[in-house]
Amino acid sequence: MGYYDSNNWTQDGVAYYAELLPHISQITLTMWPLTVVPSHLTRLSSSKIYIKTTSDSAARTIVLPGRTAKDAPLSLQQSYQLNSNSKTGSLRVKAEREERKEHISPLPARQLSGCKSVQCSECGVVLLKDNMKYLDLPSENWYEMLDYWHCHKPDHQHGYEGGNAISRDALNPRKSLALVGLTYVMVVGDDICSERIKVSDTLPKMVACSACSCDVGIVDRLDQNIVKLYKWNLSLEPKSISNDITLCRYSLEIFVTEMLLEIIEFHSTHQFGIAALSDEETILCYLWVFNSDISYTSNIQQEPTRAMKVFYTEQPDVCNQEIATETVELPSSALNNIFKVLERRNKELPESLRAFGKWNVSLLHRL
């Protein structure tokens, strides 16, 4: 990725980044490059300000990522801080407390059941046959939680060994019945329009759209008749115009943040190794989820956007070796996509906020 010059982002050469920390109800606005305190600042509403960086520059309206508290002072004299070394100016203001949206899983079985067809998101080719039924799978961590599901005290011994032990293979799709996980739709091969896909000869066996060559899924390692279609490469066509489900898709980073959030919830770890799909599980990038829930706006992202702030590095010695590192596997194409997102968002931050020690700082969007 090339370097992003912030002077190309705005007409007056000044970029901005505003961040809401909902847990402490604080909004921080950073502008750069600046060598003087802005000449004018007016609050237009609880979430909009009007600012001029110099007396002869064009004024601009900035949408903040949250609402400022009614009693919060907002003046250049009281609140604005200028750092002449980094040529950045920052403004901190108290925000109103807000109820964050409940965490929802993207493209659940209910939404898939209400669509006319499941398509390749890149070219619109229909991938699944008609009359499919969809069921949501339990959490990705359901098997690991079995140790905590007891019908008796943990030290109690049964007098027999049951022959119906639950295994990871207990939940498999069947003909015309797809199982929906957090990041994939699992189907049997016969339910895929076979003439519209092609399967690679090498392991892992990737499933690509025959029309645009986009990697839409992967063949299961244990059962060659099962295919997992990646949700981030699927789009849904509504049954009718009046249907409340529109043609929709979610980007890859939404599903990556969903995976990270679920692992954080179950394992209470915030350090991750991102690996390419392979038998070796070679970690190519390390992530530290510093804050899993912020909102931000910028001259690039002008509408309030929910995100997680992450630190990332390719150097394993930067990680805290005393903290468990959970591995997240992604296909190579998805891994490259996430690298590009991390680098691009890093360059969109103020230069003074792009690094934390030896870590690089970036943002990943979430629901």
Side-chain angles (χ1 to χ4, degrees), residues 37-50:
V37 174
S39 62
H40 183 78
L41 174 65
T42 302
R43 189 194 324 238
L44 297 179
S45 69
S46 60
S47 60
K48 289 184 180 180
I49 61 172
Y50 178 86

Side-chain angles (χ1 to χ4, degrees), residues 245-260:
I245 296 176
T246 58
L247 181 64
C248 69
R249 61 169 293 189
Y250 293 94
S251 64
L252 168 65
E253 65 181 307
I254 292 296
F255 292 101
V256 171
T257 53
E258 288 295 310
M259 285 191 284
L260 299 180

Side-chain angles (χ1 to χ4, degrees), residues 43 46 67-73 94-96:
R43 189 194 324 238
S46 60
R67 296 180 178 273
T68 58
K70 295 179 180 179
D71 59 346
K94 182 181 178 183
E96 285 186 1

Side-chain angles (χ1 to χ4, degrees), residues 97-137:
R97 288 198 172 275
E98 62 176 43
E99 290 292 329
R100 304 297 277 179
K101 291 182 180 179
E102 184 179 351
H103 181 249
I104 58 172
S105 176
L107 300 187
R110 174 192 59 79
Q111 199 168 8
L112 286 157
S113 298
C115 72
K116 179 181 179 181
S117 64
V118 176
Q119 307 173 351
C120 168
S121 61
E122 291 297 317
C123 66
V125 164
V126 176
L127 297 174
L128 292 181
K129 295 179 180 178
D130 296 334
N131 302 317
M132 292 290 297
K133 293 183 179 180
Y134 300 90
L135 290 178
D136 284 319
L137 283 168

